[in-house]
Amino acid sequence: MNINPLRTYSSKRVYYILLVSLLFLYILVYGLPYRPNLIYIHGYTLTKKLISLKYPWQFKDFKTCRTPNFNIKYSSPDEESIEILADAAERALKTLGRDFKFSPARRILIVALDRKDDLSENFLWENKGAVGVYWADSIRVISPASCVFEDYWLDGPIIHELTHYIIDQLAGGNYPKWFTEGLAQYEESIITGRFWLEDRLSSFHSFYEYRRLTGNFDDLKDQELAYYQSYLMIKALVEDKGFDVINKILRDLSRGRTFERVFMSRINQSPEEYFKKINTIHQKEKGDSLEN
């Protein structure tokens, strides 16, 4: 799960102050015209940095496990489970780093929590089964010691959340929610050989239109359907154009271009047209219909 710090109630006031300040600064330095998305990237990045300033004291009572690429904070007495998490994190980064041509500039913070409820308490939202969250340059996951997974590598959240982290670093937060969720699921399926919604596929019938998926992703009633459609979109993109097109899109987004313009320039179709085409093909195979 990816939570945008600029879309949570506690950060909105800070965000708007930063946005207005950056707008005036941008106009002062560069003049008009300006790119709103570029201002958004600067505001988003600064907000993450401000939020991360509290991490040292927020987790001051946690123990630390350091690996070549991660600082893992934990409170569980079961240190063996943290070694499992550390191994999974380094293993995931090796593959994801190759796919996205990404190497972290500093150790990535992972916070291992003891209970699912701890995620809710961290972010003041009702946890509906999430075992991992990416938030403001940090990854929060349920400790392997607290999970019922038979295999933490195959079933745990680390691949999914680390994908969110990498995408966020590469694009500066300038992407729609479905895009990062689709990529996270795609990487999970490729790396582990499993797709988490495999048993639910026969129950998906009336699909969401693109305008709904991209407009209010988190508010859609059937979240599993929304995630599945996101996965289908990414899977089709990679199969059609190769994974390198994903890296080109991310690079373009980091320069402050809109997602719609970037997608059109790289795919020669609007994301809405491409999305509808993919879903129509998929639904014809299943005999389903597209929601109006």
Side-chain angles (χ1 to χ4, degrees):
M1 177 178 288
N2 175 56
I3 297 181
N4 186 328
L6 297 188
R7 289 179 168 80
T8 55
Y9 77 94
S10 60
S11 301
K12 282 184 178 179
R13 182 171 297 179
V14 174
Y15 164 57
Y16 288 126
I17 292 172
L18 290 173
L19 186 61
V20 172
S21 301
L22 285 167
L23 173 60
F24 280 112
L25 180 62
Y26 191 96
I27 294 173
L28 181 65
V29 176
Y30 297 103
L32 292 172
Y34 65 92
R35 284 185 179 177
N37 282 40
L38 193 57
I39 296 173
Y40 172 88
I41 290 172
H42 292 318
Y44 177 82
T45 302
L46 184 54
T47 300
K48 288 195 301 179
K49 290 185 181 300
L50 290 174
I51 291 172
S52 67
L53 291 176
K54 71 178 182 180
Y55 293 160
W57 63 261
Q58 183 179 1
F59 303 112
K60 61 183 175 61
D61 296 328
F62 282 51
K63 300 175 185 177
T64 303
C65 172
R66 290 182 175 84
T67 74
N69 293 292
F70 297 91
N71 283 329
I72 302 175
K73 297 287 186 178
Y74 66 99
S75 59
S76 171
D78 185 1
E79 297 191 2
E80 183 178 349
S81 70
I82 302 305
E83 292 179 5
I84 293 173
L85 173 57
D87 178 70
E90 289 290 346
R91 187 176 171 187
L93 181 62
K94 183 177 181 180
T95 300
L96 293 171
R98 182 173 61 247
D99 289 348
F100 290 101
K101 299 179 174 58
F102 172 83
S103 179
R106 62 189 66 83
R107 283 191 179 94
I108 301 167
L109 174 64
I110 297 178
V111 181
L113 302 170
D114 291 333
R115 300 174 294 110
K116 286 186 179 182
D117 290 345
D118 290 341
L119 284 177
S120 302
E121 292 167 6
N122 265 240
F123 302 105
L124 301 179
W125 47 261
E126 182 183 353
N127 187 352
K128 297 180 179 180
V131 292
V133 171
Y134 166 68
W135 157 260
D137 286 346
S138 70
I139 294 171
R140 318 288 175 94
V141 295
I142 303 303
S143 168
S146 303
C147 293
V148 295
F149 301 133
E150 292 183 9
D151 189 322
Y152 192 79
W153 168 250
L154 291 176
D155 302 316
I158 193 63
I159 298 171
H160 190 100
E161 304 309 332
L162 186 55
T163 303
H164 284 319
Y165 175 92
I166 292 173
I167 293 167
D168 203 51
Q169 298 302 305
L170 293 176
N174 184 28
Y175 48 80
K177 177 74 177 284
W178 72 260
F179 186 69
T180 185
E181 294 297 353
L183 273 168
Q185 291 175 95
Y186 178 79
E187 287 293 336
E188 276 185 302
S189 69
I190 293 299
I191 294 173
T192 68
R194 299 181 181 182
F195 180 53
W196 71 293
L197 289 172
E198 193 67 41
D199 295 337
R200 283 286 323 277
L201 300 189
S202 61
S203 67
F204 297 138
H205 299 290
S206 181
F207 278 21
Y208 292 119
E209 288 186 335
Y210 179 78
R211 60 183 174 80
R212 295 196 63 195
L213 198 71
T214 196
N216 56 344
F217 188 97
D218 290 326
D219 296 328
L220 294 174
K221 184 177 180 180
D222 191 338
Q223 282 290 292
E224 290 188 346
L225 174 59
Y227 272 74
Y228 179 49
Q229 287 184 260
S230 301
Y231 165 77
L232 283 181
M233 183 76 153
I234 297 300
K235 183 172 181 288
L237 278 175
V238 175
E239 290 177 351
D240 285 351
K241 305 291 184 179
F243 197 87
D244 192 49
V245 75
I246 300 297
N247 288 320
K248 290 177 179 177
I249 289 173
L250 290 169
R251 185 175 65 235
D252 291 346
L253 291 171
S254 71
R255 295 167 179 163
R257 300 177 66 191
T258 66
F259 184 83
E260 288 70 21
R261 182 171 294 183
V262 168
F263 196 95
M264 179 68 81
S265 68
R266 292 297 180 184
I267 311 300
N268 296 320
Q269 276 185 294
S270 72
E272 185 169 7
E273 291 170 336
Y274 192 83
F275 187 82
K276 189 170 183 178
K277 180 185 74 173
I278 297 305
N279 282 310
T280 299
I281 292 173
H282 179 74
Q283 289 171 321
K284 281 182 178 178
E285 295 174 352
K286 294 177 79 256
D288 296 331
S289 60
L290 186 68
E291 178 194 71
N292 293 320

